[in-house]
Structure formats: C-alpha cells, structure tokens
C-alpha cells in the first residue's frame, strides 16, 4: 500500500470511517464500558472480548450487515490518530428492488457532543448511496432519545412514522419513530 493511501473508506475534516476489524476489540470494549451511562437505556454495545468477537463477526461476515467505526483524525483526536469516536452499522441490507438498510449508531462518551458522529453519519450515508449502491436508509429511534433524533434530523433524515412496541430493548417492547433518507435527498434525482 502506498504511504499516502488512507486507511479510511471516506474522510471528512475531523473523522474517517472504516470497517470493523477483530483487532479493534480492546479499544471498542473499553470505550463501551466507559460509555455505559451514556448508552443506557438506548443501546448495549459489547463490553467483553468474547461479546465483541461475536458482534464484530456478524458485521464482518454477514453480507446483510455493514459496520463502520467513526475514527478521529489529526487534531480532532484525543488519544492518538484513529481513536474510535463511535460506530454506525447498517443492518438488514436488502438488495434488488429494495436497495435499503436499517441504521444503528452510538457515540462513545469521550466524543459525545463534539459533532464527530454527525460528520461520521454524513460519511456513512454518502458511502451507502455511493459504493454500496443503496437507495434508502432508515433509523428507528425511541421517542425519548433526543440525541439520536437530533443526529438523524441534523443529517437530513425525515420523520416518516411511529411504530408502537416495535423493538425489544432493555427488557421490554419499545415504541420507535422511523426516520429515513433516500439517495435523491442527498445526491438529487437521477444522480448516483
């Protein structure tokens, strides 16, 4: 690999996105443990090596999933170039006439509120509508999760509906809002 080649799939001014690797387990799980209060009761990323290996394995090996790490670059980093700021996964990828996937994401505590996830989500959306050739992305978020809703809205997703008792989270069936974005909303009609 040439010395100037980027390790990222896409880059912005402060972050780059790249796929999960098994080697990211120690940093990912440490950051998940540090962020437990931030994530509860919305999401539960893996906090042990064994749980991370299973989680990353699904994202790496299952073609209906794509996992992205949002990594700090240059001056934005706090603990070394490439520090993991958060993660964004595209699940339930359906090709053919649907060309769609469901997004899930989480920031780590050290990066929360700094705009890094917004930059990362913009990069993932463009990557999904570009090289992945998807047409639609959907985010399902609990109505009281203000930070997640603000991120979806800030990245151009539109509120499409409300689904009562949609997902089983933290021991109960939870209501969710459905936010979505299509390729045309990002690139304009007829452009890819």
């Amino acid at each position: 690999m040439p010395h100037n080649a980027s390790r990222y799939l896409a880059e912005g001014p402060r972050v780059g996105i790249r796929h999960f690797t098994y080697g990211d387990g120690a940093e990912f799980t440490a950051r998940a443990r540090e962020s437990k209060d931030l994530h509860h009761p919305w999401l539960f990323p893996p906090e042990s090596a064994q749980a991370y290996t299973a989680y990353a394995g699904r994202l790496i090996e299952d073609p209906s999933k794509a996992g992205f790490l949002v990594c700090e670059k240059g001056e934005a980093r706090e603990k070394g170039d490439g520090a993991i700021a958060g993660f964004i996964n595209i699940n339930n990828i359906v090709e053919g006439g649907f060309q769609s996937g469901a997004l899930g994401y989480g920031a780590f505590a050290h990066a929360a509120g700094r705009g890094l996830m917004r930059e990362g989500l913009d990069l993932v959306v463009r990557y999904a509508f570009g090289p992945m050739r998807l047409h639609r992305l959907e985010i399902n978020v609990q109505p009281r999760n203000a930070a997640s809703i603000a991120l979806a809205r800030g990245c151009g997703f539109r509120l499409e509906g409300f689904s009562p008792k949609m997902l089983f989270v933290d021991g109960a069936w939870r209501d969710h809002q459905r936010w979505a974005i299509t390729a045309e909303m990002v690139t304009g009609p007829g452009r890819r």
Side-chain angles (χ1 to χ4, degrees), residues 64-81:
S64 72
K65 300 179 186 312
F68 302 91
L69 294 174
V70 177
C71 301
E72 296 182 77
K73 295 174 29 185
E75 294 177 12
R77 70 183 186 266
E78 287 187 359
K79 296 182 181 177
D81 197 29

Side-chain angles (χ1 to χ4, degrees), residues 154-168:
C155 288
F157 285 72
R158 66 177 174 237
L159 179 61
E160 288 193 335
F162 178 82
S163 296
K165 309 235 183 275
M166 179 180 187
L167 293 172
F168 194 77

Side-chain angles (χ1 to χ4, degrees), residues 6-19 68-74 76 81-86 88 116 119-120 123-124:
S6 175
R7 65 188 270 196
Y8 299 114
L9 299 165
E11 295 182 62
R14 299 183 300 151
V15 302
I17 58 167
R18 64 179 176 81
H19 289 298
F68 302 91
L69 294 174
V70 177
C71 301
E72 296 182 77
K73 295 174 29 185
D81 197 29
I84 300 171
I88 302 169
L116 302 175
E119 187 176 320
L123 292 172
V124 168

Side-chain angles (χ1 to χ4, degrees), residues 28-186:
F28 188 97
T29 57
R31 294 200 184 280
R33 288 188 301 271
E34 293 166 1
S35 306
K36 195 170 192 159
D37 290 341
L38 175 67
H39 293 155
H40 189 269
W42 317 116
L43 69 151
F44 302 89
E47 296 180 3
S48 71
Q50 182 179 3
Y52 176 83
T53 298
Y55 177 79
R58 289 188 297 273
L59 294 169
I60 293 167
E61 297 170 20
D62 184 341
S64 72
K65 300 179 186 312
F68 302 91
L69 294 174
V70 177
C71 301
E72 296 182 77
K73 295 174 29 185
E75 294 177 12
R77 70 183 186 266
E78 287 187 359
K79 296 182 181 177
D81 197 29
I84 300 171
F87 55 97
I88 302 169
N89 301 330
I90 305 176
N91 299 297
N92 305 324
I93 297 171
V94 179
E95 296 180 340
F98 204 46
Q99 293 298 114
S100 180
L103 281 174
Y105 48 75
F108 289 126
H110 77 282
R114 296 174 45 208
L116 302 175
M117 288 301 291
R118 172 152 182 192
E119 187 176 320
L121 184 55
D122 282 339
L123 292 172
V124 168
V125 166
R126 291 187 179 281
Y127 188 82
F129 293 154
M132 291 181 71
R133 305 204 45 84
L134 295 179
H135 176 258
R136 175 185 165 83
L137 295 170
E138 185 170 310
I139 298 168
N140 297 296
V141 59
Q142 293 179 54
R144 291 190 347 249
N145 189 343
S148 188
I149 290 170
L151 180 57
R153 182 180 285 123
C155 288
F157 285 72
R158 66 177 174 237
L159 179 61
E160 288 193 335
F162 178 82
S163 296
K165 309 235 183 275
M166 179 180 187
L167 293 172
F168 194 77
V169 179
D170 196 27
W173 289 98
R174 309 286 180 184
D175 299 344
H176 281 71
Q177 292 179 352
R178 294 186 322 278
W179 293 78
I181 194 168
T182 62
E184 293 85 0
M185 293 168 65
V186 174

